[in-house]
Amino acid sequence: MDILIISGGKIDIKFLEKILESNYNSIIAVDKGLEALYKLNKIPDYIVGDFDSVSKEALEFYKNKNIPINEYNSEKDFTDTELGLELAINLNPNKITIVGAIGTRFDHTLANVHILTKCLEKNIECEIVDLYNKIYLINHKKEIEREKSYRKFFSIIPLTSEVQGISLKGFKYPLENYNLSIGKSLGISNEIVGNKASVEIKSGILIAIESKD
């Protein structure tokens, strides 16, 4: 089962339209993310949020569509995106894709990267995507096909204080059993040079970022 979450960050409508061409089993709209679907006249399977940022027009339109709506008080302990992710996890998916998790609020963007650990703990593949970036976490081994990657750049940043035993193969700048501590930028702007590349680590968690520009 593949699930798409549409959150309230910056969304390129043409990019979202292309994403929606994939066959997702469920689509979860999170707060202002509902407006992007409204522009495309698309119907989500679930709606989540405190609805403090979505337009009344879009919200009222979907309230009349008999869609399950999980509404929360704005003074809650979790972000809307985290609530949407919790709902997605409870549906027992194989993969979760999140659009609209990157925006002008850097605190929200950073928090959205951190909550990907919820999926990592349950062995659910999860990624944040926008027009230029694909972001996911690695805690063991990951193989990347060059033709399916975002290209041009591939970066790794420690999420934990240290990531031990990093090995990179199929990259312009390979590594072998390297320990990368938080606060170092060594892993920025690598490139995949083979048909396939691999990242393998012994302990810790890496943020992996595929970038087009």
Side-chain angles (χ1 to χ4, degrees):
M1 176 185 285
D2 288 357
I3 294 177
L4 176 66
I5 298 174
I6 303 169
S7 195
K10 187 176 181 180
I11 297 176
D12 182 276
I13 293 299
K14 289 185 178 180
F15 172 77
L16 177 59
E17 193 170 25
K18 186 175 181 180
I19 288 286
L20 288 167
E21 292 175 1
S22 298
N23 187 25
Y24 292 97
N25 300 97
S26 292
I27 297 174
I28 300 173
V30 176
D31 208 280
K32 194 177 179 181
L34 203 57
E35 290 187 12
L37 287 177
Y38 184 61
K39 291 176 182 178
L40 295 173
N41 196 28
K42 299 291 184 179
I43 306 296
D45 297 284
Y46 302 92
I47 299 173
V48 177
D50 56 23
F51 309 125
D52 62 348
S53 56
V54 65
S55 70
K56 290 183 179 179
E57 180 183 3
L59 185 58
E60 288 303 316
F61 175 81
Y62 287 105
K63 277 186 174 180
N64 296 320
K65 295 294 182 183
N66 197 30
I67 301 167
I69 298 177
N70 296 349
E71 185 170 359
Y72 295 85
N73 190 293
S74 59
E75 295 182 359
K76 57 191 185 303
D77 295 328
F78 307 96
T79 64
D80 290 328
T81 304
E82 185 172 359
L83 292 171
L85 185 62
E86 288 282 1
L87 173 58
I89 289 171
N90 289 335
L91 295 174
N92 297 314
N94 298 313
K95 181 178 179 180
I96 300 171
T97 301
I98 310 174
V99 177
I102 301 171
T104 55
R105 285 285 301 272
F106 182 70
D107 53 346
H108 278 268
T109 300
L110 190 58
N112 289 338
V113 173
H114 279 247
I115 63 174
L116 296 182
T117 56
K118 291 176 176 286
C119 294
L120 204 63
E121 291 166 359
K122 296 183 179 296
N123 294 316
I124 299 171
E125 184 181 354
C126 188
E127 58 190 25
I128 293 171
V129 298
D130 70 0
L131 185 60
Y132 300 103
N133 305 282
K134 180 192 291 185
I135 305 166
Y136 49 90
L137 303 182
I138 300 172
N139 67 345
H140 182 52
K141 185 175 182 178
K142 176 75 174 181
E143 290 189 346
I144 306 121
E145 294 183 38
R146 187 171 184 271
E147 291 301 318
K148 294 181 179 180
S149 70
Y150 259 45
R151 299 183 301 187
K152 163 182 180 183
F153 297 110
F154 180 90
S155 298
I156 52 172
I157 301 169
L159 181 63
T160 50
S161 59
E162 185 176 61
V163 181
Q164 297 183 340
I166 303 172
S167 294
L168 303 180
K169 297 179 181 179
F171 290 94
K172 182 176 181 179
Y173 307 109
L175 286 176
E176 184 66 35
N177 200 30
Y178 185 84
N179 296 338
L180 183 61
S181 299
I182 197 165
K184 293 183 178 179
S185 61
L186 177 81
I188 300 297
S189 297
N190 210 334
E191 297 178 42
I192 299 173
V193 293
N195 291 328
K196 284 187 179 182
S198 68
V199 181
E200 188 167 1
I201 66 176
K202 291 180 178 177
S203 67
I205 301 173
L206 285 173
I207 303 169
I209 306 167
E210 299 176 16
S211 302
K212 287 185 177 179
D213 66 344

